[in-house]
Amino acid sequence: MASAWAHDTSREGYLSRANNTDCLKFLQWPLIVIGASIMVVSLAGFAGACYRNTFLMWLYLFVMFFIIGALIGFIIFAYAVTDKGSGRPVMNKGYLEYYLPDYSGWLRDRVVDQSYWAKISACIRDSKVCSKMGRSFNGVPETYDMFSMRKLSPIEYVRSQAVYVQSREQRQSNSASSSQAPSPSIASGCCKPPTDCGFVYVNETVWTPGGGLVGADLDCQRWSNDQQLLCYQCDSCKAGVLGSLKKSWRKVSVINIVVLILLVIFYVIGCAAFRNNRRIDNDEPYGEARMTKARPSHFQL
């Protein structure tokens, strides 16, 4: 049960869990290796307990000790690399904005690396996250004020249903159009320019420079209305990925703690089974008294 749980966690704990993509596949390997090791070693321990094979039980306890240590290390590592960074609130906006300087450490260096980012950004683009941001109400596209109040996630793929502020009668009358509305996959960091740029809203993924000065943020120059480019090369997009990773890794770590507790329980049971095998191998009678009283009691029951 614990090994299956670890496999499920490694498969669905990151950004790829909702759209079956492999945007950050390299981050799944630690849990995949741990899960596979747990499964193989658990089978060895199970066989050792069933067939009273002392060697297999010893092997199970020896290897499981290091696996438990590795899992503890991974949990500590996951919390350490996601310790810094979070979204910043924007005045009169429902969403947060993400800035790359707020993040640091191994995970940031890994995501920012050009070889990895080329694959991640291509995966985000191919998943059509930004094209699914569009919303309409009774056939009317949402306004800037409505868009500003949306709670945009950093860059996570979410299996959720579109939320429309309509009555039941309105939804029935517009069933034909609403049934074609895609599930919203929101990206605050990659699908829109930073608010500081001062761009004018046209729709969710089209913004034009305003009459005032454009912000000094380099992401303002990187933004493009080309739907194949948008802000995929922006620092805010990389920060959005890091923000989503932080949430995912924290959730995965909670599950891993539960798995760790189960493994420790199984390890204790394995120790008891190992001692039982040794007792049988040594022809030790079950329940043999190992201690005698120096002064036996005069009362015999």
Side-chain angles (χ1 to χ4, degrees):
M1 179 175 64
S3 61
W5 201 340
H7 270 294
D8 184 68
T9 300
S10 65
R11 182 170 55 88
E12 299 188 356
Y14 305 103
L15 293 181
S16 62
R17 64 175 178 263
N19 283 337
N20 296 323
T21 58
D22 294 324
C23 296
L24 295 170
K25 188 174 181 179
F26 69 92
L27 295 173
Q28 301 178 16
W29 283 110
L31 278 180
I32 292 176
V33 172
I34 292 176
S37 301
I38 291 173
M39 180 173 292
V40 172
V41 175
S42 296
L43 290 175
F46 180 77
C50 289
Y51 297 100
R52 292 193 287 114
N53 188 308
T54 304
F55 173 76
L56 287 179
M57 288 300 303
W58 179 88
L59 180 65
Y60 166 79
L61 295 176
F62 179 79
V63 177
M64 187 60 70
F65 176 81
F66 291 99
I67 290 177
I68 291 175
L71 187 57
I72 292 174
F74 181 81
I75 293 172
I76 296 174
F77 173 76
Y79 275 100
V81 299
T82 58
D83 181 54
K84 296 181 180 180
S86 60
R88 298 184 190 178
V90 183
M91 185 177 296
N92 298 324
K93 308 294 182 184
Y95 53 79
L96 303 176
E97 293 205 334
Y98 300 83
Y99 296 86
L100 193 58
D102 293 347
Y103 299 86
S104 61
W106 177 87
L107 191 59
R108 177 187 184 274
D109 296 338
R110 197 76 165 174
V111 171
V112 171
D113 184 88
Q114 278 301 115
S115 60
Y116 285 108
W117 183 249
K119 299 176 183 178
I120 295 171
S121 59
C123 181
I124 296 172
R125 181 180 62 251
D126 295 342
S127 66
K128 303 185 184 302
V129 174
C130 297
S131 63
K132 299 174 183 177
M133 289 181 63
R135 285 185 180 179
S136 62
F137 302 87
N138 294 327
V140 179
E142 68 177 344
T143 63
Y144 175 70
D145 292 336
M146 297 166 66
F147 175 79
S148 298
M149 292 299 103
R150 289 171 64 174
K151 295 185 181 297
L152 307 182
S153 63
I155 180 59
E156 60 184 2
Y157 309 131
V158 184
R159 281 177 181 166
S160 59
Q161 296 179 347
V163 178
Y164 295 97
V165 186
Q166 296 176 327
S167 64
R168 183 175 181 179
E169 292 77 10
Q170 288 175 322
R171 290 199 301 270
Q172 290 176 347
S173 63
N174 296 301
S175 59
S177 59
S178 62
S179 62
Q180 299 175 357
S183 299
S185 299
I186 312 303
S188 176
C190 303
C191 302
K192 70 172 190 62
T195 303
D196 294 341
C197 295
F199 287 176
V200 176
Y201 173 87
V202 178
N203 60 40
E204 291 83 359
T205 57
V206 176
W207 301 70
T208 59
L213 296 176
V214 177
D217 193 334
L218 291 178
D219 285 350
C220 299
Q221 282 76 45
R222 297 184 180 119
W223 167 261
S224 172
N225 285 325
D226 185 336
Q227 298 301 297
Q228 296 299 313
L229 299 176
L230 296 178
C231 218
Y232 296 137
Q233 299 305 317
C234 296
D235 288 344
S236 62
C237 188
K238 299 172 183 177
V241 170
L242 289 169
S244 182
L245 273 176
K246 180 177 181 178
K247 293 181 180 179
S248 298
W249 277 42
R250 289 299 174 90
K251 292 178 182 178
V252 168
S253 294
V254 172
I255 299 176
N256 283 342
I257 291 174
V258 177
V259 173
L260 177 63
I261 294 173
L262 291 175
L263 290 181
V264 171
I265 294 174
F266 297 153
Y267 190 82
V268 172
I269 296 174
C271 289
F274 177 74
R275 292 182 62 183
N276 183 63
N277 284 355
R278 291 291 299 271
R279 181 185 60 80
I280 296 175
D281 292 342
N282 295 333
D283 294 326
E284 180 182 327
Y286 182 78
E288 178 183 1
R290 296 180 179 273
M291 296 180 63
T292 59
K293 292 184 178 181
R295 294 183 180 180
S297 172
H298 294 290
F299 298 98
Q300 300 295 330
L301 299 179

